[in-house]
Amino acid sequence: MYLTKEEEKMLNGEYGPAVEKSMRLLVKLGEIYGAEKMIEISSAQIAGISYKNIGDPGVEFLEGFLEEGAKVRVLAFMNPAGMDLESWKELGIPEEFAEKQMRIINALKRMGVYAAATCTPYLAGLLPRYGEHIAWSESSAVIFANSVIGARTNREGGPSALAAAITGRTPMHGFHLNENRTPEVTIVVESQIKTSYEFGILAHAICKKFKKGVPYITGINPVHANIERLKLFGATLAAYGAFSLFHMEGVTPENVEAPKEKIHIEPSDLNESKEEMGEKLDSVDLVVIGCPHASLDEIKRILKVLNGRKMKVPMLVFTSRSVRVVAKRTNLISELEKLNIKVLADTCPVVMPLEYLNVKRVATDSGKAIYYLPNTNNVKVLFDSLERLVERFGE
Ligand code: F3S
């Protein structure tokens, strides 16, 4: 693999052990994937920062890495952590968990990583530009950045994203290359897809018929493909399938041709997916919204849908800290709290230890959450639209 003089110096330890280890990891990955060289990146998003996921070995690794001089060279920010970094106590997160979680956050902060702690950095001011090379790791953020923004990233693991942040480089392979961004099949959607719920179901239906690659989706009226729906659509696509990039006619920015091979998504496919997504539950302990992290508009929409009704079952809404700050200033948070709804920042339903909340059955509008929650948090999950969740679990 070709390395520049600067990259050689990194690899030879001239910038200290943390840079050397990072470059070693990236070179190894580059060799595995057949990369010819490194590419400079403009930002890195680092996942795998919840204490629930990485435990004590993760804390020790990050603190040790910091001692070895780990310092980021490019804009770098964190994916959600295992708790709301400000209101963890009132949620019942134990002191011991919180202490370890804060050690992870502090080690990363001292490396220069911003504690944005969100999977929707693009809604929190951390927005790459079209064509920019980046190294992001959370799957819904990756597919959004590649598809909707037209930035270029592979689906990095936590360690490779951190190594990319420390060296400012990533191996040039996969979605960094034009040839891998070409769509392979045209997905013809034969139904009108309008709502977030329908976009989630469509993603599931696509994954059943086309397992991996780059789809080119036609038949969507661009008027309905807003940021929030594309965010939910991409997250579900990346959860149920090995997707990190899609093109959508009239919606996504890359100028690509529709492939000749076609797969049709009929109304019956959507009905089938609707039946298969989640479980049939009569009652739940918690309603979860904001996977991926909610936008300000989505938070406002919850109030609109509730229209003054209170939730009988508590609702948690997950968002980024920056969106929460604006929502608070706009009095949305206090309005929601009156209706039995809490808005959490910095964390997510999948990487947060729901066991401390005594939750066994969850309802959500997120296709990604229903995919992961049964495994990560050992809960049963019901999938439905926000409107119907309010209808069923509101007063
Ligand atoms: Fe984001 Fe967590 Fe969902 S990282 S996409 S809220 S699983």
Side-chain angles (χ1 to χ4, degrees):
M1 184 176 181
Y2 168 78
L3 295 180
T4 62
K5 284 207 170 67
E6 176 74 350
E7 289 158 3
E8 289 282 2
K9 281 188 190 171
M10 292 185 197
L11 189 66
N12 293 335
E14 290 187 36
Y15 295 105
V19 176
E20 181 187 337
K21 279 184 189 165
S22 299
M23 191 46 101
R24 234 170 249 297
L25 172 70
L26 297 177
V27 168
K28 190 98 255 97
L29 288 171
E31 283 167 0
I32 291 170
Y33 292 109
E36 287 177 4
K37 59 177 188 171
M38 295 285 169
I39 179 94
E40 291 192 24
I41 55 157
S42 58
S43 68
Q45 188 230 14
I46 299 153
I49 68 147
S50 167
Y51 177 63
K52 175 175 160 59
N53 295 352
I54 63 173
D56 290 331
V59 180
E60 280 152 29
F61 165 76
L62 289 171
E63 288 179 342
F65 208 36
L66 177 67
E67 266 174 37
E68 288 179 322
K71 202 90 202 145
V72 302
R73 288 186 177 218
V74 293
L75 174 68
F77 33 87
M78 305 174 202
N79 201 43
M83 61 186 200
D84 185 309
L85 301 179
E86 291 179 8
S87 64
W88 55 270
K89 227 178 215 158
E90 61 189 75
L91 283 165
I93 303 285
E95 297 266 352
E96 197 204 346
F97 183 99
E99 191 258 327
K100 298 276 175 61
Q101 181 63 71
M102 287 317 295
R103 279 173 59 188
I104 294 169
I105 300 290
N106 289 334
L108 286 165
K109 270 165 73 174
R110 288 177 61 200
M111 291 178 203
V113 182
Y114 289 120
T118 181
C119 52
T120 57
Y122 49 87
L123 295 176
L126 300 161
L127 189 67
R129 283 170 301 177
Y130 179 86
E132 229 167 62
H133 294 274
I134 57 177
W136 286 18
S137 50
E138 195 282 313
S139 64
S140 79
V142 165
I143 196 168
F144 191 95
N146 269 327
S147 315
V148 183
I149 300 171
R152 297 181 167 218
T153 178
N154 289 314
R155 192 156 150 177
E156 300 292 341
S160 66
L162 183 56
I166 285 167
T167 57
R169 313 286 199 278
T170 193
M172 180 91 164
H173 71 96
F175 294 112
H176 293 285
L177 299 168
N178 286 342
E179 62 258 36
N180 298 323
R181 301 180 69 87
T182 310
E184 290 143 293
V185 76
T186 299
I187 306 282
V188 185
V189 182
E190 307 274 10
S191 274
Q192 287 235 20
I193 303 293
K194 292 183 180 166
T195 65
S196 296
Y197 177 62
E198 289 165 351
F199 270 90
I201 292 169
L202 172 64
H204 183 277
I206 292 173
C207 291
K208 284 182 67 179
K209 291 195 157 180
F210 181 53
K211 302 286 178 211
K212 68 177 178 126
V214 180
Y216 181 88
I217 300 156
T218 65
I220 303 287
N221 184 339
V223 165
H224 302 305
N226 65 14
I227 285 182
E228 287 78 8
R229 293 174 194 147
L230 291 170
K231 158 178 90 84
L232 279 155
F233 173 74
T236 311
L237 209 58
Y240 281 91
F243 296 105
S244 291
L245 168 64
F246 65 86
H247 301 284
M248 194 178 275
E249 191 181 35
V251 175
T252 54
E254 273 176 64
N255 187 12
V256 288
E257 275 183 27
K260 291 212 167 47
E261 190 192 333
K262 288 189 173 133
I263 292 177
H264 291 259
I265 302 290
E266 318 272 352
S268 58
D269 297 314
L270 298 172
N271 284 337
E272 215 173 86
S273 283
K274 203 191 287 184
E275 284 302 306
E276 288 172 17
M277 292 176 81
E279 299 183 62
K280 308 263 173 288
L281 301 174
D282 292 329
S283 62
V284 295
D285 310 310
L286 182 69
V287 177
V288 156
I289 305 292
C291 168
H293 277 176
S295 68
L296 198 61
D297 251 15
E298 282 174 308
I299 294 179
K300 270 194 201 154
R301 194 173 146 245
I302 297 169
L303 274 174
K304 200 168 157 210
V305 171
L306 274 152
N307 195 19
R309 293 169 67 179
K310 234 179 156 171
M311 290 301 291
K312 276 188 294 198
V313 173
M315 181 189 280
L316 289 181
V317 179
F318 293 83
T319 190
S320 62
R321 178 64 56 190
S322 41
V323 166
R324 194 186 189 284
V325 165
V326 180
K328 189 168 179 213
R329 283 197 186 149
T330 328
N331 295 331
L332 298 174
I333 304 286
S334 51
E335 290 297 309
L336 287 165
E337 279 171 357
K338 285 184 211 151
L339 306 177
N340 199 15
I341 300 169
K342 269 198 174 58
V343 181
L344 303 183
D346 317 315
T347 187
C348 104
V350 168
V351 300
M352 180 176 155
L354 288 180
E355 68 260 30
Y356 298 124
L357 275 65
N358 238 338
V359 170
K360 295 269 178 290
R361 292 154 307 167
V362 173
T364 182
D365 66 342
S366 161
K368 175 168 179 177
I370 56 166
Y371 181 84
Y372 284 108
L373 273 173
N375 292 327
T376 59
N377 266 310
N378 194 22
V379 290
K380 292 187 184 303
V381 192
L382 168 89
F383 175 64
D384 216 334
S385 66
L386 174 65
E387 287 77 4
R388 273 189 300 271
L389 293 176
V390 165
E391 199 55 50
R392 289 184 63 176
F393 305 115
E395 274 179 357

